[in-house]
Amino acid sequence: MADQCCASKSGTTALNDPRWRRVLWIALIVNAAMFAVEIVAGVAADSRALQADALDFLGDSANYAISLGVAGMALAWRARAALFKAVTMLAFGLWVLGSALWGFVTGTAPHAETMGIIGALALVANVVVALMLYRYRTGDANMRSVWICSRNDAIGNLAVLAAALGVFGTGRSWPDLGVAAIMAALAIWGSIEVFRQARGELAAAAS
């Protein structure tokens, strides 16, 4: 099977497009920086949604690094990398879901103002990355996994902002915990999408 993916407007495949690698490097740096900011803020604010989003930034940093490593490899190797990323997305989703359930039992109300400020900063970062990756959203499973991660992150940040408003208005923790559960569901569903496409690409490469 031909080793192809979505083409850029110039006709050069995205795998050989230096802009693809440049975007991945920018995304890697942005996500690593936001992980450091958000994990500190999440712990300080006692926000499980912020902590979950911080771990998502960390996972995305690793995903972008993997994508950079396999960008020039054959389709089968890129599909295997996508399978690995699907597993990590699933593990992240299950961990966040468990954390949210635990928080419903033991959690206290987080600091809404910190949630709002950091959530807005994270949203800006993720929207910028998602816009840069948008043109590659229909590529192979590896590219698609990168796009899905960025898309889910932007959606998750909107939910964090909504949670901050909910916590501020009610003085309770359930908006924060509910958003953490939504983020978990997004990660689990995204992992299923990537897994299905990667399995199909592996089967096609073997035929």
Side-chain angles (χ1 to χ4, degrees):
M1 177 180 177
D3 185 12
Q4 296 180 354
C5 60
C6 66
S8 68
K9 293 181 180 178
S10 64
T12 304
T13 60
L15 287 177
N16 297 320
D17 189 348
R19 287 174 295 185
W20 165 243
R21 294 178 181 273
R22 191 180 309 121
V23 167
L24 285 180
W25 274 111
I26 294 172
L28 173 59
I29 293 169
V30 169
N31 277 261
M34 283 306 306
F35 162 72
V37 170
E38 204 166 26
I39 193 64
V40 172
V43 172
D46 194 28
S47 169
R48 295 181 186 274
L50 283 182
Q51 293 175 39
D53 201 38
L55 290 177
D56 195 24
F57 273 119
L58 179 62
D60 287 349
S61 298
N63 284 340
Y64 296 138
I66 292 171
S67 294
L68 280 165
V70 302
M73 295 184 180
L75 178 63
W77 283 105
R78 299 198 311 273
R80 291 187 186 102
L83 282 176
F84 175 77
K85 289 192 284 186
V87 172
T88 62
M89 289 168 69
L90 178 61
F92 163 77
L94 293 175
W95 183 88
V96 171
L97 184 60
S99 177
L101 292 174
W102 178 253
F104 272 113
V105 178
T106 63
T108 57
H111 193 264
E113 289 81 1
T114 301
M115 288 179 64
I117 293 170
I118 300 301
L121 178 62
L123 176 62
V124 171
N126 278 320
V127 167
V128 169
V129 171
L131 288 175
M132 289 191 298
L133 291 168
Y134 183 76
R135 66 184 298 165
Y136 304 106
R137 69 193 184 283
T138 57
D140 60 24
N142 186 57
M143 285 183 168
R144 184 162 174 76
S145 71
V146 171
W147 158 248
I148 287 174
C149 284
S150 299
R151 178 201 66 187
N152 287 355
D153 288 348
I155 295 172
N157 292 142
L158 288 173
V160 169
L161 290 175
L165 289 174
V167 171
F168 181 79
T170 65
R172 298 180 180 274
S173 65
W174 64 263
D176 178 64
L177 301 175
V179 164
I182 291 172
M183 293 172 67
L186 283 172
I188 292 170
W189 179 250
S191 72
I192 293 172
E193 289 186 79
V194 174
F195 182 80
R196 286 175 177 170
Q197 184 172 349
R199 284 292 301 273
E201 289 175 359
L202 279 174
S207 63

